[in-house]
């Protein structure tokens, strides 16, 4: 029986090629994703490991104790205390922060999250081992700086030249005295590095005489854990000491968390592709078994048991899955090699590193392909084993039993009803807490429609067939009869396409609706003409706001700064602004009290939602526990309608400033004088010296950014779901090709009684279009329903969300499905038209 299975694979290799291609694409997706994520993760780990080579213990200042001054900062006394411990080779005091270096166009030379600044700590030899010099020397005075090679190239700076940079305020110019190397993954993945002498770094990035962390190196033979324990003993409890091993483990965990989200997202789409492939595989084996029913009957007649027949079909599927998976793994390897280059070309820089191929990835790719293929072939194999020898010898192909269709339709109706009921229940919810219910309802609805597809195909094919008969005559009628001949096969082929289009439609409707909501929300709350903010996350110096207020053409410049706190053990965010000016740049709708009462530390204004959650009214006390350990209890002077610009609590700067480590403005809202808005962004940038730190955005820019966060995700989803659609198209081609083989004698008879080759091609083409359009219409319809019902979960957090159906884009999807149907039929129709008439009539 094993030899029979192998012979069948070789005998039907052309017919199985399309099925193998579906498995190949799915496993390529899986293996490519796993290899790519392992490679990126390995590159990050290697860079992190190198940066921690000399770290035995790392000391950082924890949250200060409000009842004592001990441990409030890391200073030179702390350095001396740690350096005196036995086993300590050296203590490297580090200062770190964000420094934005200007490139040749006055834009940031590094990414927002990777613009790093630090101090250069020379050893006895005058060099810093953490930052090896490539050329020049380390910075030793306030006017000097060192850069990594990539940043220096982007800045167009050479040793001896000048570099323009900003930390949180005005532009600074310093002399470049050295180029260094670094293993910091933030920098190697697209960031920038600026180094200063320690005193300058403290002045720019921290506080005079204080450090961000201490890096302790151990003498040879010193146990890291014991040394860490000793460091903890001599330091205040508010300090945190971690061993190099512990730090590496935490960073490894962090890297794994960051890369796992990417890996899991890609694997979800890979799973969708494989799921679509299941329909193709099952369809192919069902048709092959129907064609080989005489052969199976003979095997049964000469003594083969049902179990042996099942094993033979499953062995055939396993061989097919193994060969296709091996080819898929090879293709996945190519994807993993090319994907980093593609991402780098689009602006996403990744750390360099060797390709990582884990043995588990090879086994997973092969195992997934084999298991999916065998599972998909299991039901067809059982069907083959149940055919009685005499019955099989008497008839090549039989229609499905009526009872089986009744059972299937009943099951499909139950699944669909349950799924629709759950989704209708979701429409009554008003928060994202019903996400699990929505996912279950979507899965049940989609599964139910798949099961019901044979029943649903009949009215659609009848309707489409009438239109086809009107324009194509007998070819349209025959195409309709062929599609109706085996509704299960038609449904299975169309369902593969339906799954992809359901997901694409749902994502499209959701994305377009979200973008429309963003457009509605922006103008309602932000009335400023421009928002000025930092290109880093560190904020802007208050001096920037004062400078903007003096700018010609500016009617109002209102800085906003923020501080986190807890109220009744619930986290919240307060924003501080000049309350007298805030109405000029934001649409503030007061529902109780007056904003004029918000002054000093005595009173605040709160949003309606915050007031409701904490049972607050005008005159109530707001308990505020800030993260510096201090508390406040201001009164509620006003309640305003929820506003994204103001957040949950609006206070005067006097209340928040004492709780900020460094007073910085998160953003500055600028209102232009009448008729002066045109050209003002350029003037603002120019007035601030072409500061690379400054970003000037209009409300339209903000809306575009919000949409920009959605559109790339949507386009990426299109690309990945396109793989599933491609597999579905392969399924249509495969079904039609094997259907033509089944109907060889029939096509020969049609040709004998006068049917032209052109009409044969038209018949096959119309059948293909019917299948594709059935899947497309079903997919678009289900996708719209799921997007409508699931969208209700956004109402609480996104009240402006309202479902918008992009009919033009959905019409394009249907048009593409029509094109797919035509193209998928090219090869099968050509093959059918070229069949030899006499040979076809004599075919068995």
């Amino acid at each position: 029986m094993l030899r029979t299975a192998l012979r069948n694979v070789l005998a039907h290799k052309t017919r199985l090629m399309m099925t193998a291609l579906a498995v190949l694409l799915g496993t390529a997706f899986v293996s490519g994703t796993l290899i790519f994520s392992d490679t990126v993760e390995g590159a990050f780990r290697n860079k992190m490991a190198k940066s921690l080579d000399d770290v035995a213990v790392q000391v950082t200042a924890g949250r200060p104790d409000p009842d004592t001054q001990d441990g409030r900062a890391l200073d030179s006394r702390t350095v001396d205390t740690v350096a005196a411990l036995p086993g300590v080779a050296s203590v490297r005091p580090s200062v770190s922060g964000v420094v934005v270096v200007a490139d040749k166009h006055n834009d940031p030379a590094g990414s927002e999250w990777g613009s790093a600044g630090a101090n250069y700590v020379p050893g006895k030899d005058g060099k810093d081992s953490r930052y090896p010099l490539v050329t020049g020397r380390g910075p030793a005075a306030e006017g000097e700086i060192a850069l990594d090679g990539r940043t220096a190239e982007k800045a167009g700076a050479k040793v001896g030249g000048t570099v323009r940079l900003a930390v949180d305020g005005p532009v600074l110019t310093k002399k470049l005295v050295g180029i260094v190397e670094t293993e910091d993954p933030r920098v190697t993945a697209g960031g920038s590095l600026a180094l200063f002498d320690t005193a300058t770094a403290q002045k720019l990035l921290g506080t005079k005489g204080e450090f961000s962390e201490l890096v302790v190196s151990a003498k040879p033979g010193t146990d890291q854990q014991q040394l860490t324990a000793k460091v903890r003993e001599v330091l205040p409890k508010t300090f945190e000491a971690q061993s190099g091993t512990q730090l590496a483990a935490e960073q490894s965990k962090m890297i794994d968390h960051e890369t796992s989200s990417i890996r899991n997202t890609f694997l979800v789409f890979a799973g969708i592709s494989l799921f679509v492939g299941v329909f193709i595989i099952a369809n192919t084996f069902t048709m092959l078994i129907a064609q080989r029913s005489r052969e199976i009957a003979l095997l049964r007649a000469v003594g083969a048991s049902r179990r042996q027949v099942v094993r033979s079909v499953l062995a055939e599927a396993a061989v097919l899955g193994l060969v296709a998976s091996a080819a898929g793994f090879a293709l996945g390897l190519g994807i993993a090699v090319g994907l980093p280059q593609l991402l780098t070309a689009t602006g996403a820089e990744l750390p360099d590193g060797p390709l990582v191929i884990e043995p588990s990835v090879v086994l997973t790719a092969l195992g997934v392909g084999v298991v999916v293929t065998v599972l998909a072939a299991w039901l067809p194999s059982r069907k083959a084993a149940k055919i009685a020898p005499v019955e099989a010898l008497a008839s090549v192909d039989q229609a499905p039993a009526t009872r089986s269709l009744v059972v299937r339709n009943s099951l499909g109706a139950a699944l669909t009803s349950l799924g629709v009921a759950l989704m209708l229940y979701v429409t009554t919810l008003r928060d994202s807490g019903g996400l699990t219910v929505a996912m279950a309802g979507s899965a049940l609805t989609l599964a139910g429609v798949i099961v019901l597809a044979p029943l649903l195909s009949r009215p659609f094919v009848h309707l489409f067939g009438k239109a086809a008969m009107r324009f194509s005559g007998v070819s349209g009628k025959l195409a309709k009869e062929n599609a109706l001949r085996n509704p299960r096969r038609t449904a299975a082929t169309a369902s593969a396409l339906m799954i992809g289009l359901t997901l694409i439609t749902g994502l499209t409707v959701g994305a377009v609706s979200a973008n429309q909501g963003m457009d509605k929300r922006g103008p309602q709350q932000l009335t400023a003409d421009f928002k000025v903010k930092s290109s880093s996350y560190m904020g802007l110096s208050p001096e920037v706001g004062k400078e903007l207020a003096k700018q010609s053409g500016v009617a109002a410049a209102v800085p906003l700064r923020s501080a986190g706190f807890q109220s009744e053990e619930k986290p919240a965010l307060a924003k501080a602004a000049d309350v007298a000016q805030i109405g000029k740049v934001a649409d503030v709708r007061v529902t109780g009290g007056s904003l004029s009462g918000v002054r000093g530390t005595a009173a605040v204004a709160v949003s309606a939602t915050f007031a409701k959650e904490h049972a607050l009214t005008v005159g109530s006390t707001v308990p505020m526990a800030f993260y510096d350990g201090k508390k406040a209890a201001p009164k509620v002077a006003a309640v305003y309608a929820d506003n994204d610009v103001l957040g949950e609590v609006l206070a005067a700067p006097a209340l928040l400033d004492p709780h900020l480590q460094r007073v910085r403005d998160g953003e500055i809202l600028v209102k232009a004088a009448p008729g002066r808005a045109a050209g003002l962004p350029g003037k603002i940038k120019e007035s601030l010296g072409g500061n690379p730190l400054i970003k000037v955005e209009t409300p339209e820019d903000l809306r575009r950014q919000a949409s920009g966060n959605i559109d790339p995700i949507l386009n990426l989803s299109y690309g990945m779901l396109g793989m599933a659609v491609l597999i579905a198209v392969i399924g249509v081609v495969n079904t039609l090709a094997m259907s033509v083989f089944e109907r060889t004698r029939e096509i020969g008879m049609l040709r004998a009684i006068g049917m032209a080759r052109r009409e044969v091609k038209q018949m096959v083409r119309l059948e293909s279009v019917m299948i594709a359009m059935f899947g497309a219409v079903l997919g678009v319809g289900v996708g719209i329903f799921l997007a409508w019902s699931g969208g209700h979960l956004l109402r609480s957090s996104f009240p402006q969300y309202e479902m918008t159906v992009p009919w033009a884009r959905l019409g394009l999807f249907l048009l593409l499905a029509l094109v797919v149907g035509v193209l998928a039929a090219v090869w099968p129709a050509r093959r059918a038209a070229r069949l030899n008439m006499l040979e076809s009539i004599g075919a068995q």
Side-chain angles (χ1 to χ4, degrees):
M1 295 301 292
L2 180 60
R3 286 197 299 270
T4 301
L6 294 174
R7 180 185 61 80
N8 285 329
V9 171
L10 296 175
H12 304 106
K13 53 182 178 292
T14 303
R15 285 178 251 170
L16 290 172
M17 182 178 64
M18 291 294 184
T19 304
L21 188 56
V23 180
L24 182 151
L25 291 175
T27 53
F29 212 155
V30 172
S31 57
T33 296
L34 294 176
I35 294 172
F36 169 72
S37 59
D38 286 346
T39 298
V40 173
E41 185 177 335
F44 272 112
R45 289 184 194 276
N46 290 337
K47 298 294 183 184
M48 283 290 187
K50 289 181 180 179
S51 67
L52 295 174
D53 275 347
D54 60 342
V55 180
V57 184
Q58 178 178 281
V59 181
T60 55
R63 187 178 298 176
D65 188 337
D67 300 325
T68 177
Q69 295 300 312
D70 290 340
R72 188 169 293 275
L74 292 171
D75 52 25
S76 57
R77 291 176 300 173
T78 311
V79 175
D80 295 338
T81 300
V82 175
L85 291 173
V88 174
S90 65
V91 178
R92 185 185 190 282
S94 298
V95 181
S96 60
V98 176
V99 175
V100 180
V101 177
D103 66 8
K104 300 173 186 177
H105 308 288
N106 288 331
D107 293 322
S111 59
E112 292 185 11
W113 52 269
S115 298
N119 61 324
Y120 187 85
V121 185
K124 295 179 181 180
D125 58 355
K127 298 179 181 180
D128 189 337
S129 59
R130 173 163 287 197
Y131 303 111
L133 283 166
V134 176
T135 183
R137 60 176 177 82
E142 184 173 357
E144 297 177 347
I145 190 174
L147 301 175
D148 69 284
R150 186 181 299 182
T151 303
E153 182 181 351
K154 289 182 178 180
K158 297 181 179 180
V159 174
T162 58
V163 177
R164 302 176 72 255
L165 59 112
V167 177
D168 57 14
V171 176
L172 304 174
T173 301
K174 295 189 180 293
K175 181 180 179 181
L176 181 63
V177 297
I179 305 293
V180 302
E181 292 181 341
T182 179
E183 296 294 342
D184 188 335
R186 295 175 302 167
V187 180
T188 58
S192 61
L193 175 66
L195 298 175
F196 312 92
D197 66 283
T198 298
T200 303
Q202 289 176 333
K203 179 181 178 181
L204 295 176
L205 307 176
T207 305
K208 183 179 179 180
E210 297 181 3
F211 305 103
S212 305
E213 64 181 24
L214 305 182
V215 176
V216 182
S217 298
K219 293 179 180 179
T222 303
D223 183 86
Q224 278 193 8
Q225 302 301 327
Q226 292 179 0
L227 183 58
T228 304
K230 290 179 182 178
V231 171
R232 287 173 180 162
E233 288 177 3
V234 300
L235 294 180
K237 293 182 180 179
T238 53
F239 283 23
E240 184 176 0
Q242 292 178 292
S243 68
T245 304
Q246 182 183 0
L247 192 64
E250 287 188 1
Q251 290 183 345
S252 178
K253 185 177 180 181
M254 179 188 67
I255 292 170
D256 184 62
H257 174 73
E258 294 295 330
T259 56
S260 64
S261 58
I262 300 174
R263 179 172 60 247
N264 293 339
T265 300
F266 276 86
L267 287 177
V268 166
F269 287 98
I272 293 170
S273 298
L274 287 170
F275 181 63
V276 170
V278 166
F279 290 88
I280 300 171
I281 298 165
N283 227 11
T284 301
F285 275 92
T286 298
M287 297 170 75
L288 285 175
I289 287 167
Q291 294 169 15
R292 299 204 314 255
S293 56
R294 289 180 181 271
E295 176 187 324
I296 294 171
L298 287 172
L299 290 172
R300 292 292 312 281
V302 298
S305 66
R306 289 187 173 184
R307 182 174 296 179
Q308 287 177 309
V309 172
V310 171
R311 288 177 178 174
S312 174
V313 175
L314 294 183
E316 185 178 344
V319 171
L320 174 68
L322 184 61
V323 173
S325 299
F329 176 79
L331 179 60
L333 196 61
I335 293 173
V337 171
L339 192 55
Q341 298 175 1
L342 176 62
L343 293 175
T344 300
T346 59
E349 298 192 47
L350 300 172
D352 298 327
L355 197 66
V356 178
I357 305 176
E358 298 287 348
S360 58
V361 174
V362 181
L363 295 176
T364 299
L366 298 179
V368 165
V370 171
V371 169
V372 167
T373 310
V374 170
L375 287 177
W378 183 67
L379 285 177
S381 70
R382 286 177 57 85
K383 180 181 178 182
K386 289 180 179 179
I387 298 176
V390 175
E391 182 182 354
L393 287 170
S395 176
V396 173
D397 193 11
Q398 289 187 334
T402 304
R403 182 176 176 276
S404 66
L405 289 176
V406 170
V407 172
R408 176 172 179 150
N409 293 339
S410 300
L411 177 62
L415 289 173
T416 305
S417 299
L418 181 58
V420 170
L422 285 176
M423 296 309 294
L424 292 177
Y425 168 71
V426 167
T427 63
T428 65
L429 303 177
R430 289 296 180 267
D431 57 65
S432 58
L435 182 60
T436 303
V437 178
M439 292 176 66
S442 300
L444 286 172
T445 302
L446 190 58
V449 172
I450 291 172
V451 176
L452 277 178
L455 179 65
L456 298 175
S457 67
R458 290 184 178 278
F460 179 87
V461 172
H462 273 295
L463 182 64
F464 195 96
K466 287 184 179 180
M469 288 168 60
R470 179 168 298 181
F471 294 102
S472 304
V474 68
S475 295
K477 182 176 182 180
L478 290 172
K480 182 190 77 170
E481 296 301 326
N482 291 334
L484 290 174
R485 181 179 303 183
N486 193 331
R488 286 184 170 185
R489 181 184 303 170
T490 299
T493 307
S495 292
L497 187 60
M498 181 203 75
I499 294 169
L501 281 176
T502 295
L503 297 174
I504 288 175
T505 300
L507 287 171
T508 300
V509 173
V512 170
S513 301
N515 280 340
Q516 293 288 339
M518 291 290 183
D519 288 342
K520 293 178 182 178
R521 182 167 68 179
Q524 292 178 351
Q525 299 177 347
L526 183 65
T527 59
D529 294 304
F530 307 102
K531 177 187 285 188
V532 179
K533 64 179 186 178
S534 168
S535 60
S536 73
Y537 57 86
M538 297 300 290
L540 297 169
S541 166
E543 298 302 318
V544 177
K546 294 176 183 178
E547 188 67 30
L548 286 177
K550 301 175 186 177
Q551 174 69 39
S552 174
V554 172
V558 183
L560 284 174
R561 60 192 63 147
S562 59
F565 69 95
Q566 286 195 333
S567 184
E568 298 176 346
E569 299 184 351
K570 294 180 180 179
L573 185 69
K575 291 191 176 183
D578 183 347
V579 178
Q581 298 286 317
I582 194 67
K584 297 179 180 180
V585 293
D587 182 12
V588 185
R589 302 177 184 179
V590 178
T591 60
S594 173
L595 287 181
S596 61
V598 179
R599 58 172 66 91
T601 61
V604 297
V606 298
S607 70
T609 298
F610 185 86
K612 182 178 179 181
E613 290 177 350
H614 295 270
L616 299 174
T617 58
V618 175
S620 299
T621 299
V622 184
M624 303 177 72
F626 292 94
Y627 292 117
D628 63 352
K630 298 178 181 179
K631 298 181 180 180
K635 300 287 186 180
V636 176
V639 177
Y640 54 85
D642 290 357
N643 190 304
D644 284 347
V645 177
L646 306 182
E648 297 171 295
V649 176
L650 176 64
L655 178 61
L656 299 191
D657 287 357
H659 306 288
L660 301 175
Q661 187 175 6
R662 302 188 76 178
V663 177
R664 294 290 180 267
D665 295 323
E667 57 194 21
I668 304 169
L669 305 181
V670 177
K671 186 69 175 179
R676 303 290 297 276
L680 191 57
K683 293 178 181 178
I684 290 175
K685 189 91 171 177
E686 183 180 348
S687 69
L688 297 173
N691 196 325
L693 188 73
I694 300 299
K695 293 177 67 175
V696 183
E697 301 170 328
T698 66
E700 186 62 33
D701 291 331
L702 298 175
R703 283 193 293 268
R704 196 179 300 115
Q705 284 179 16
S707 301
N709 291 333
I710 296 172
D711 290 340
I713 296 174
L714 182 62
N715 293 333
L716 179 63
S717 300
Y718 281 165
M720 291 191 287
L721 288 174
M723 183 72 75
V725 174
L726 176 61
I727 293 174
V729 172
I730 292 171
V732 176
V733 176
N734 208 19
T735 298
L736 289 174
M738 300 187 75
S739 180
V740 168
F741 179 83
E742 280 184 344
R743 302 201 304 266
T744 298
R745 178 183 291 181
E746 177 184 319
I747 293 171
M749 292 294 294
L750 290 172
R751 292 277 290 115
I753 61 176
M755 194 173 196
R757 293 180 186 272
R758 177 183 57 81
E759 292 175 313
V760 172
K761 287 183 179 180
Q762 191 175 52
M763 175 186 70
V764 177
R765 227 176 358 249
L766 286 172
E767 182 182 355
S768 176
V769 169
M770 286 182 192
I771 294 172
M773 291 303 295
F774 171 56
V777 170
L778 209 56
V780 169
V782 174
I784 292 175
F785 171 72
L786 295 181
W788 167 76
S789 52
H792 286 75
L793 297 177
L794 298 174
R795 293 294 174 83
S796 63
S797 59
F798 193 1
Q800 292 80 13
Y801 180 89
E802 184 175 347
M803 192 182 89
T804 302
V805 180
W807 293 112
R809 198 176 299 190
L810 299 185
L812 179 61
F813 293 162
L814 294 176
L815 180 61
L816 289 175
L818 178 64
V819 173
V820 162
V822 173
L823 293 179
V826 170
W827 178 57
R830 185 184 180 90
R831 184 170 180 268
R834 288 189 171 186
L835 288 175
N836 183 281
M837 188 186 311
L838 296 178
E839 291 179 357
S840 299
I841 294 173
Q844 294 296 321

